[in-house]
Amino acid sequence: MAMTITEKILARAAGKTRVIPGDNIWVKVDILLTHDICGPGTIGVFQQEFGKTARVWDPDKVAIIPDHYIFTRDVKAHRNIDTLRQFVQEQGIRHFYDPAESTYRGVCHVALPEVGLVCPGTVIFGTDSHTCTHGALGAFATGIGNTDAGFILGTGKLLIKVPKTLRFRIDGTLPPRVMAKDIILRIIGDIGFDGASYCAMEFTGDAIAALSIEERMTICNMAIEAGGKNGIIAPDEKAFEYIRARTSAPLDPVYGDPDATVEHEWRYDAATLVPCVAEPHVPSNYAPARDRTGVKLDRAYIGSCTGGKITDFRAAAQILRNHKVSVPTFLVPATVEVAEALLSETFDGRSLVQIFADAGCEEIAPPSCAACLGGPEDTYGRTSGSEAVISTTNRNFIGRMGSKNSRIWLASPLTVAASAVTGHITDPRDIS
Amino acid sequence: MNATDTQIIRGKVYVAGDNIDTDQIIPAQYLNLVPTIPEEYTKLGSYALCGLPDTCLPFIQPGAVTSEYTILVAGRNFGCGSSREHAPIALGAAGIKAIVAESYARIFFRNAVATGEFFPFETARRLCDTFQTGDEAILDLKAGTLTRAPSRETFALNPLGAVAPVVAAGGLFAYARQTGMIGKKG
């Protein structure tokens, strides 16, 4: 019987020839990802349940990427990183990227593919809801809690339900200055904040094929904002090229059957998509940017696993190289690799760092999750009052960036940059 | 804690609306607390639902570490957002024994089942418009009903379905041991 890419990956990981949505199956895990805010609790569960001296099922399949609370004076945050250090040493885990060492990477969902740990056809669980990002390279990837992660540490397996698939086919060509973020915000707006609950979100069509891997990551990253279990894009030559540049591991991709049944297929003509925002306080509050030019802003923010990749900063620089910002504009590269590219990449002889400085942006922060999720009081870019923020991040919940009284509009890096220039929500097509 | 120790849950109800996200359940600044450290587990409970807008009734009274409410009644998509297990744990640590919502976000529901902190029930009816914060209620696990104590109105809860055996066993580890997936503890 025909299966979707998600069903096929899960069937293979369960050692079955076929699965159907609703089946509860034990799957073998290829990568378990954790970080500084859920890692210590996961280790706690593992040691409570399997014993203080228990060994993880496979130290080479565990990736521990501290990224959330790194550049803070918070004592517990540092204790938590120490807990990770001790654990990786005891267990011989080599995929650990210590914030105090030159091996530090930054935001886990950008770092994991960077270090070559995301391969097509694999099963990846992470103690972070944005683990769904990794479907951009054809993996099944989803977020879990500490207890599930502690279970995986001990067994390398997890019991999961096979999701139904919702397919999103985006054909045609995206208009200039319309980005992946505009595609996914439109989809979430159409299907709702819980519109993909328990479902796989499969993205396909020429417009998806034309996107860079980083732009595909933006789309899969936000599957969770519609309640999706995973986001996934069939791997292609672009994906293989990205992966081969980062790992020599043998690749064993999985493709869906063309006649596989999906729960529903949504079709879009890319040419009809426009720069947009998600208004406070849910990511499904879609509005075209041109319909919200009356919204005055107090700050702009470019960063996070969704919007802090080099592609995102390149896009922002396209606009900011000709302008000055009129509101405080905070920049947080997702990873060290992105931060380095900001220095090395140039537009007309100026580095991106120089362009942002000339435009009057705030000093660029070191790579981490920073104010995407508020964090400790001393976090860079954290809101503290009733700020109106336009941001490339993924969530605009009440209090998400710190203060319960601040309001967040989500948008693409182009829309954020254009809005930073004018001080109100601005369609990037309406600025040079 | 294991939520399966009792057949009847009795207590005060706290009512919340739709899309109560994990940042409202436990704001990110408290994610430096590690749930498996007992004093930090208690501390997480003391911050449960402190991210709700200030216009909401407090879930925990100022100065208290646990809540006077035992049952939480909510609307759609409860627990949406992050995979932080701190969220169900904070609610459990605060004293919540059962949640009755129209629907849950997937990861939150799964974490609730895996930790066994409380019973995550769904109802076909939108009870957050029927109940009021402070109502006394009785949740009968065996009968699968929620009764509003003063009026005796009774509402059916949806069966827990595929996760029932996991909940009945007392969480993921207990279930895995019961079914022979992993060996005895220690």
Side-chain angles (χ1 to χ4, degrees):
Chain A
M1 194 186 136
M3 290 188 284
T4 65
I5 179 171
T6 296
E7 290 156 10
K8 268 196 175 171
I9 294 172
L10 293 178
R12 187 165 85 179
K16 293 176 182 289
T17 49
R18 61 169 289 209
V19 295
I20 56 168
D23 284 355
N24 286 291
I25 53 171
W26 288 98
V27 292
K28 278 199 332 203
V29 180
D30 293 298
I31 293 289
L32 174 69
L33 167 68
T34 189
H35 48 44
D36 54 304
I37 59 171
C38 292
T42 295
I43 293 165
V45 169
F46 170 70
Q47 291 178 336
Q48 274 174 11
E49 295 290 342
F50 293 101
K52 269 275 176 205
T53 56
R55 309 297 299 175
V56 303
W57 99 101
D58 185 343
D60 288 345
K61 291 184 174 173
V62 181
I64 302 188
I65 311 186
D67 57 359
H68 278 63
Y69 303 161
I70 308 299
F71 303 102
T72 171
R73 287 183 297 276
D74 186 88
V75 173
K76 284 202 170 66
H78 288 283
R79 175 207 59 188
N80 291 344
I81 296 169
D82 284 340
T83 303
L84 302 178
R85 287 188 180 115
Q86 194 188 334
F87 188 69
V88 300
Q89 200 165 35
E90 286 167 6
Q91 298 284 343
I93 291 168
R94 60 193 174 96
H95 303 303
F96 174 62
Y97 307 93
D98 194 321
E101 309 279 342
S102 60
T103 51
Y104 178 62
R105 303 293 308 197
V107 177
C108 65
H109 301 309
V110 182
L112 195 71
E114 272 179 7
V115 298
L117 287 177
V118 180
C119 291
T122 61
V123 171
I124 299 173
F125 290 101
T127 60
D128 190 288
S129 58
H130 293 109
T131 302
C132 52
T133 308
H134 310 299
L137 290 163
F140 172 86
T142 191
I144 53 171
N146 296 354
T147 300
D148 281 338
F151 188 91
I152 292 173
L153 275 183
T155 64
K157 289 188 175 174
L158 195 62
L159 178 64
I160 66 162
K161 185 161 83 176
V162 178
K164 294 172 183 168
T165 290
L166 300 179
R167 184 176 289 150
F168 299 86
R169 180 179 295 281
I170 299 109
D171 282 319
T173 308
L174 280 180
R177 298 208 162 173
V178 177
M179 298 188 71
K181 187 69 168 280
D182 299 304
I183 299 177
I184 190 65
L185 288 179
R186 169 67 190 274
I187 289 173
I188 297 167
D190 286 350
I191 69 172
F193 192 18
D194 58 356
S197 268
Y198 289 82
C199 294
M201 294 177 80
E202 183 182 312
F203 304 97
T204 188
D206 336 321
I208 299 295
L211 291 175
S212 68
I213 295 303
E214 290 197 349
E215 282 279 88
R216 295 180 193 181
M217 286 165 64
T218 302
I219 290 187
C220 290
N221 175 278
M222 290 195 70
I224 183 66
E225 310 316 332
K229 185 165 193 159
N230 64 313
I232 196 160
I233 295 171
D236 60 4
E237 217 22 71
K238 239 184 239 181
F240 299 139
E241 195 185 315
Y242 178 99
I243 298 161
R244 283 195 200 104
R246 289 160 173 86
T247 179
S248 53
L251 304 184
D252 193 2
V254 169
Y255 303 94
D257 298 317
D259 54 340
T261 310
V262 296
E263 181 70 6
H264 189 72
E265 180 168 302
W266 296 70
R267 288 173 179 252
Y268 290 90
D269 175 0
T272 63
L273 300 177
V274 297
C276 64
V277 294
E279 303 200 274
H281 292 285
V282 286
S284 55
N285 269 347
Y286 171 90
R290 271 184 189 154
D291 293 354
R292 291 295 182 272
T293 54
V295 176
K296 282 210 156 60
L297 300 163
D298 299 305
R299 101 170 26 172
Y301 187 98
I302 301 175
S304 84
C305 51
T306 320
K309 304 178 293 313
I310 190 60
T311 315
D312 302 304
F313 285 101
R314 266 183 218 138
Q318 256 184 58
I319 288 183
L320 294 179
R321 65 185 166 147
N322 300 322
H323 298 277
K324 286 212 180 302
V325 297
S326 65
V327 295
T329 299
F330 295 82
L331 309 174
V332 193
T335 62
V336 170
E337 199 172 300
V338 176
E340 287 169 357
L342 292 179
L343 279 166
S344 63
E345 288 200 15
T346 55
F347 259 131
D348 302 332
R350 280 191 301 163
S351 70
L352 299 190
V353 167
Q354 192 59 50
I355 287 169
F356 295 132
D358 292 347
C361 298
E362 302 293 306
E363 195 177 332
I364 298 173
S368 85
C369 298
C372 170
L373 77 166
E377 298 279 351
D378 59 351
T379 301
Y380 172 94
R382 189 181 195 274
T383 59
S384 55
S386 56
E387 302 91 338
V389 188
I390 189 157
S391 175
T392 65
T393 53
N394 43 43
R395 288 188 175 140
N396 54 355
F397 303 163
I398 293 166
R400 174 70 181 181
M401 294 184 85
S403 166
K404 279 200 257 186
N405 298 319
S406 62
R407 289 160 301 147
I408 305 159
W409 280 260
L410 306 176
S412 78
L414 281 171
T415 301
V416 170
S419 305
V421 169
T422 60
H424 58 82
I425 289 175
T426 299
D427 186 314
R429 296 170 302 180
D430 298 334
I431 195 168
S432 57
Chain B
M1 194 211 83
N2 181 339
T4 58
D5 295 344
T6 170
Q7 290 297 314
I8 297 282
I9 297 167
R10 194 184 296 267
K12 271 194 191 177
V13 168
Y14 187 88
V15 178
D18 295 324
N19 299 325
I20 303 299
D21 59 70
T22 48
D23 284 81
Q24 292 183 73
I25 298 170
I26 184 79
Q29 71 201 88
Y30 305 117
L31 301 184
N32 59 357
L33 299 167
V34 176
T36 45
I37 299 173
E39 55 273 25
E40 296 187 19
Y41 173 89
T42 308
K43 196 101 179 128
L44 279 166
S46 74
Y47 295 123
L49 286 170
C50 77
L52 286 172
D54 295 335
T55 47
C56 295
L57 287 170
F59 178 68
I60 293 176
Q61 292 305 325
V65 290
T66 55
S67 178
E68 64 198 280
Y69 305 103
T70 312
I71 299 168
L72 207 152
V73 171
R76 267 175 68 173
N77 204 24
F78 187 85
C80 50
S82 157
S83 64
R84 60 186 74 162
E85 203 162 281
H86 307 70
I89 284 172
L91 292 169
I96 286 294
K97 303 277 185 247
I99 301 183
V100 177
E102 259 185 293
S103 66
Y104 294 92
R106 184 189 60 81
I107 307 177
F108 178 90
F109 181 81
R110 185 171 173 112
N111 287 344
V113 171
T115 57
E117 284 285 338
F118 50 79
F119 288 94
F121 281 104
E122 290 185 338
T123 49
R125 243 184 101 168
R126 186 175 170 80
L127 296 185
C128 64
D129 291 341
T130 304
F131 278 81
Q132 283 189 334
T133 295
D135 282 351
E136 291 284 342
I138 299 157
L139 195 151
D140 187 326
L141 293 171
K142 227 175 174 174
T145 56
L146 180 68
T147 303
R148 199 175 184 178
S151 65
R152 309 301 302 170
E153 289 166 279
T154 294
F155 306 94
L157 307 170
N158 295 353
L160 285 172
V163 302
V166 185
V167 177
L172 177 69
F173 278 94
Y175 175 73
R177 291 203 165 92
Q178 204 177 71
T179 54
M181 257 306 294
I182 57 173
K184 286 215 172 81
K185 197 165 177 173

